[in-house]
Coordinates of all heavy atoms in Angstrom, one line a residue:
N1 N 0.8 -1.2 0.0 CA 0.0 0.0 0.0 C 0.8 1.3 0.0 O 0.4 2.3 -0.6 CB -0.9 0.0 1.2 CG -2.3 -0.6 1.0 OD1 -3.3 0.1 1.0 ND2 -2.3 -1.9 0.8
D2 N 2.0 1.3 0.6 CA 2.8 2.5 0.8 C 4.2 2.1 1.1 O 4.5 1.0 1.5 CB 2.2 3.3 1.9 CG 2.6 4.8 1.9 OD1 3.4 5.2 1.1 OD2 2.0 5.6 2.7
I3 N 5.1 3.0 0.8 CA 6.5 2.8 1.2 C 7.1 4.1 1.7 O 6.7 5.2 1.2 CB 7.3 2.3 0.0 CG1 8.8 1.8 0.4 CG2 7.4 3.2 -1.2 CD1 9.5 1.0 -0.6
Q4 N 8.0 4.1 2.7 CA 8.7 5.2 3.2 C 10.2 4.9 3.2 O 10.6 3.8 3.3 CB 8.2 5.6 4.6 CG 6.7 6.1 4.6 CD 6.3 6.4 6.0 OE1 6.9 6.1 7.0 NE2 5.1 7.1 6.1
F5 N 11.0 6.0 3.1 CA 12.4 5.9 3.2 C 13.0 6.8 4.2 O 12.3 7.7 4.7 CB 13.0 6.2 1.8 CG 12.8 5.3 0.7 CD1 11.6 5.3 0.0 CD2 13.7 4.3 0.4 CE1 11.4 4.4 -1.0 CE2 13.5 3.4 -0.6 CZ 12.3 3.4 -1.3
K6 N 14.2 6.6 4.6 CA 15.0 7.5 5.4 C 16.2 8.0 4.7 O 16.9 7.2 4.0 CB 15.4 6.9 6.8 CG 14.2 6.7 7.8 CD 14.8 6.2 9.1 CE 13.6 6.0 10.1 NZ 14.1 5.4 11.4
C7 N 16.5 9.3 4.8 CA 17.8 9.8 4.2 C 18.9 9.8 5.3 O 18.6 9.8 6.5 CB 17.5 11.3 3.8 SG 16.2 11.5 2.6
S8 N 20.1 9.8 4.8 CA 21.3 9.6 5.7 C 21.4 10.9 6.6 O 21.9 10.7 7.7 CB 22.5 9.4 4.9 OG 22.7 10.5 3.9
K9 N 20.9 12.0 6.2 CA 21.1 13.3 7.0 C 19.8 13.9 7.3 O 19.6 14.4 8.4 CB 22.0 14.3 6.2 CG 23.4 13.8 6.2 CD 24.3 14.9 5.6 CE 25.8 14.5 5.6 NZ 26.6 15.6 5.1
S10 N 18.8 13.9 6.4 CA 17.6 14.7 6.6 C 16.4 13.9 7.2 O 15.3 14.4 7.4 CB 17.2 15.4 5.4 OG 17.0 14.5 4.3
G11 N 16.6 12.6 7.4 CA 15.6 11.8 8.1 C 14.6 11.2 7.2 O 14.8 11.0 6.0
Q12 N 13.4 11.0 7.8 CA 12.3 10.2 7.1 C 11.7 11.0 6.0 O 11.4 12.2 6.1 CB 11.3 9.8 8.2 CG 10.2 8.9 7.7 CD 9.3 8.4 8.8 OE1 9.8 8.3 9.9 NE2 8.1 8.1 8.5
L13 N 11.4 10.2 4.9 CA 10.6 10.7 3.8 C 9.3 10.0 3.7 O 9.2 8.8 3.8 CB 11.4 10.5 2.5 CG 12.6 11.3 2.2 CD1 13.1 11.0 0.8 CD2 12.3 12.8 2.2
A14 N 8.2 10.7 3.3 CA 6.9 10.1 3.1 C 6.3 10.8 1.9 O 5.8 11.9 1.9 CB 6.0 10.3 4.3
A15 N 6.4 10.1 0.7 CA 5.9 10.6 -0.5 C 4.4 10.6 -0.5 O 3.7 9.9 0.3 CB 6.4 9.8 -1.7
D16 N 3.8 11.4 -1.3 CA 2.3 11.6 -1.3 C 1.6 10.4 -1.9 O 2.1 9.8 -2.8 CB 2.0 12.9 -2.2 CG 0.5 13.1 -2.3 OD1 -0.1 13.3 -1.3 OD2 0.0 13.1 -3.5
G17 N 0.4 10.1 -1.4 CA -0.6 9.3 -2.0 C -0.6 7.8 -1.7 O -1.4 7.1 -2.3
G18 N 0.1 7.4 -0.7 CA 0.1 6.0 -0.3 C -1.3 5.5 0.2 O -2.1 6.3 0.7
G19 N -1.5 4.2 0.0 CA -2.7 3.6 0.6 C -2.7 3.4 2.1 O -1.6 3.5 2.7
D20 N -3.9 3.2 2.7 CA -3.9 3.2 4.2 C -4.3 1.8 4.7 O -4.5 1.6 5.9 CB -4.8 4.2 4.7 CG -6.3 4.1 4.2 OD1 -6.6 3.1 3.5 OD2 -7.1 5.0 4.5
A21 N -4.4 0.8 3.9 CA -4.7 -0.6 4.4 C -3.4 -1.3 4.9 O -2.3 -1.0 4.5 CB -5.3 -1.4 3.2
G22 N -3.6 -2.2 5.8 CA -2.5 -3.0 6.3 C -1.7 -2.3 7.3 O -2.2 -1.3 7.9
S23 N -0.5 -2.7 7.5 CA 0.4 -2.2 8.6 C 1.8 -2.1 8.1 O 2.2 -2.7 7.2 CB 0.3 -3.1 9.9 OG 0.7 -4.4 9.5
W24 N 2.5 -1.1 8.8 CA 4.0 -0.9 8.4 C 4.8 -2.0 9.0 O 4.6 -2.4 10.2 CB 4.4 0.4 9.0 CG 3.8 1.6 8.3 CD1 2.8 2.4 8.8 CD2 4.2 2.1 7.1 NE1 2.6 3.4 7.9 CE2 3.4 3.3 6.8 CE3 5.2 1.8 6.1 CZ2 3.5 4.0 5.7 CZ3 5.3 2.5 4.9 CH2 4.4 3.6 4.7
N25 N 5.8 -2.5 8.2 CA 6.8 -3.5 8.8 C 7.9 -2.6 9.4 O 8.0 -1.4 9.3 CB 7.2 -4.5 7.8 CG 7.7 -4.0 6.5 OD1 8.4 -3.0 6.4 ND2 7.2 -4.6 5.4
D26 N 8.9 -3.3 9.9 CA 10.1 -2.7 10.5 C 10.9 -2.0 9.5 O 10.9 -2.4 8.3 CB 10.9 -3.7 11.3 CG 10.2 -4.2 12.5 OD1 9.3 -3.5 13.0 OD2 10.6 -5.3 12.9
W27 N 11.7 -1.0 9.9 CA 12.7 -0.4 9.0 C 13.8 -1.4 8.7 O 14.3 -2.1 9.5 CB 13.3 0.9 9.7 CG 12.3 2.0 9.7 CD1 11.6 2.4 10.8 CD2 12.0 2.9 8.7 NE1 10.8 3.5 10.5 CE2 11.1 3.9 9.2 CE3 12.5 3.1 7.4 CZ2 10.6 4.9 8.4 CZ3 12.0 4.1 6.6 CH2 11.1 5.0 7.1
H28 N 14.2 -1.3 7.4 CA 15.3 -2.1 6.9 C 16.4 -1.2 6.4 O 16.1 -0.4 5.5 CB 14.9 -3.1 5.8 CG 14.1 -4.2 6.3 ND1 12.8 -4.0 6.9 CD2 14.3 -5.6 6.3 CE1 12.3 -5.2 7.3 NE2 13.2 -6.2 7.0
A29 N 17.6 -1.3 7.0 CA 18.7 -0.3 6.7 C 19.9 -0.9 6.0 O 20.2 -2.0 6.2 CB 19.1 0.4 8.0

């Protein structure tokens, strides 16, 4: 439904428009 990333300096990114079903899994680095 959605994906988020983290930047090495500026932190978490959340692009527009993701779906809201389901749940987030853990961060993978």
Side-chain angles (χ1 to χ4, degrees):
N1 269 249
D2 199 352
I3 189 169
Q4 294 179 346
F5 290 84
K6 285 183 180 178
C7 301
S8 55
K9 291 189 175 180
S10 56
Q12 186 170 332
L13 287 184
D16 177 61
D20 58 6
S23 58
W24 291 103
N25 53 43
D26 293 335
W27 287 99
H28 288 63

